Structures are given as C-alpha cells and as structure tokens.
Amino acid sequence: MPLPLFDGSDEAVMPDTTQQPSYIRDHRKRLRNRFIEGGATALPDYEMLELVLFRAIPRRDVKPLAWRLLDQFGDFNRVISAPPDRLCEIKGVGDAVVLELKIVEAAAHRLARARVMQKHVLSGWDAVLDYCHTTMAHRETEQFRVLYLDRKNVLIADEEQAKGTVDHVPVYPREVVKRALELNASALILVHNHPSGDPTPSDSDINMTNQIQNAAMALGITLHDHLIIGKSRELSFKTEGYL
C-alpha cells in the first residue's frame, strides 16, 4: 500500500521507521551548525523558526511553513507570541507546532522575568523595560500588569490584573491598591500595552492612572510610573509629565 499523504497537519502520518530524505537531513545539520557557531545573529528569522519547527515536524521540510508564519505575523517575535487559535489558522500548524512555539515564548518570558524579580527596579530600569517588551509588545490584545515594590524598591511581585480587547482593558483602581496592601508593597509601577503599536496614552489611560495614584497616595503607597508598551518603543507617564 502507498504511504498516506500528509494531511496538512504538523504531524506526518508516516511510520516511525521512515527516514528523513538526505537533503532535509543535511540541511538541518548545516543549520544547526551555523547556529552553534554563530548564534542567533547568524540566522534570519525564517531559519530561527525552522530550528524551532524541527522538533515539532521531524521528517518534513519546514521552510515553507516558516515562511507562511512570517507572511502572516510579520517577524519571529510576533510568530512566537501569536495566540494558539491564530497559529492554528495557518496551513501545516497543529498542536505539536503550537507547543514548540509556546515553549520558546515561555522560556523567553521566564528569562526576562528572572532578570528583574527580587532586584532593585530603579537601578535596573533597562532590564524592566526589556521584560515588559518581551512579555507584552507583541500581544494582539491589551494586558494590564502591576509591578509591586517593597520599601527598598525591590520587585516583589509582577501580576497580571486584567486582559482586554484590541483597544481596551478594564482596570479597577481599588483592586490594584488592595493587592498592594496584601503584598505589603510600598510602591507600584503600572504597565499595559497598546496592540496598535502607538504608545500614546488615551484619555481613559490618563484618568485611570490618576485614580490609582490618588488611591495609592491615600494609603502611603508611591506610584513610580505607568509604562505603555508599543511595538518598538514605550511611553513613560513620569518622563512625559503625566505623573
């Protein structure tokens, strides 16, 4: 009987004993060697994606899928950060591919978070910005996070307070301040993203920030800043004079 044809999913319906064609095997070996020797900077986005997809699709040429993902989402970061349901709309993407992409995303978030947790935030501001961009810049919906600091401005908690739509996220100032009291936090940094890419604050962003600041001040809690994360840059309320 002839072997079944691929059905477009990420798992080929082939026996485990099937060998990779030599051209695929050689290509993967060359690509892995280039990565080992030169690191990520030696590879364009589509080849970095290929490396990730190798594990999910062990016996098939993954370059066409890498290009389809980039055509749809734009770059490596946006592919890794794309929601699973959006990824599954791409021909050739199934559970195994989604899992590998989400593992890479989770690893990136964990590495970035490790650089800021239990560290003095104000003296490590660049690391905080890197963390915020890594976790939020490529999201397709708004997310609101609060960084809670102790009396020495050491980051003791990083918590997602709310998720929203492409242009709105519900925030409840009372809940933000209540959580600060529960954690015995002395200061806050608010962070949310703008999926449009433009970090310019809206009137509702400004009003919400003022409400949280007033509630925090009444309880002796300092609001250091509110960061809005865009695709390639961020806006600081403190720097821009909103706080």
Side-chain angles (χ1 to χ4, degrees):
M1 293 290 292
L3 292 173
L5 296 176
F6 297 126
D7 62 2
S9 66
D10 54 18
E11 286 298 330
V13 285
M14 297 178 68
D16 292 339
T17 56
T18 301
Q19 297 296 315
Q20 287 180 348
S22 60
Y23 75 93
I24 293 179
R25 185 169 60 251
D26 294 344
H27 170 68
R28 293 186 176 203
K29 182 178 180 180
R30 288 193 299 269
L31 196 53
R32 289 180 175 123
N33 287 340
R34 284 174 52 208
F35 177 75
I36 291 171
E37 293 171 2
T41 56
L43 303 179
D45 278 2
Y46 80 91
E47 289 184 332
M48 279 294 294
L49 270 180
E50 283 190 77
L51 283 176
V52 177
L53 295 172
F54 286 170
R55 289 171 52 84
I57 306 175
R59 294 179 296 275
R60 189 150 45 100
D61 183 6
V62 298
K63 185 182 295 183
L65 176 56
W67 278 114
R68 286 198 295 273
L69 288 165
L70 289 171
D71 286 344
Q72 178 64 38
F73 298 106
D75 60 28
F76 182 86
N77 291 332
R78 290 183 176 90
V79 172
I80 296 299
S81 305
D85 57 336
R86 290 285 312 283
L87 289 168
C88 288
E89 295 173 358
I90 307 302
K91 181 182 177 182
V93 173
D95 291 344
V97 166
V98 171
L99 176 62
E100 292 299 326
L101 295 175
K102 293 296 111 179
I103 288 173
V104 173
E105 181 188 28
H109 290 186
R110 183 164 294 191
L111 285 169
R113 192 172 191 267
R115 295 189 180 102
V116 296
M117 288 303 301
Q118 302 301 323
K119 303 289 177 61
H120 191 279
V121 167
L122 301 185
S123 63
W125 195 242
D126 287 344
V128 172
L129 294 179
D130 286 345
Y131 170 62
C132 293
H133 276 281
T134 298
T135 55
M136 303 176 73
H138 303 288
R139 292 178 58 91
E140 295 186 344
T141 57
E142 286 200 13
Q143 180 190 58
F144 182 81
R145 308 182 73 88
V146 182
L147 309 183
Y148 295 97
L149 316 178
D150 66 11
R151 286 181 174 81
K152 295 182 179 180
N153 286 320
V154 170
L155 181 60
I156 56 175
D158 158 40
E159 297 185 355
E160 178 185 295
Q161 293 292 318
K163 295 179 181 178
T165 63
V166 294
D167 59 2
H168 174 70
V169 60
V171 178
Y172 303 98
R174 184 174 64 178
E175 295 301 317
V176 173
V177 177
K178 177 183 175 183
R179 183 59 177 154
L181 294 176
E182 292 172 350
L183 294 169
N184 197 29
S186 297
L188 309 172
I189 297 173
L190 311 179
V191 190
H192 86 279
N193 63 308
H194 278 182
S196 68
D198 180 2
T200 303
S202 65
D203 290 342
S204 60
D205 291 336
I206 296 171
N207 292 335
M208 174 267 291
T209 304
N210 290 336
Q211 291 175 26
I212 292 177
Q213 183 180 37
N214 292 335
M217 287 177 60
L219 297 172
I221 299 171
T222 301
L223 176 58
H224 280 311
D225 209 341
H226 181 174
L227 300 174
I228 300 181
I229 306 299
K231 283 286 190 291
S232 58
R233 63 188 181 94
E234 74 283 340
L235 180 141
S236 162
F237 270 51
K238 185 174 183 179
T239 300
E240 296 298 322
Y242 294 107
L243 281 177

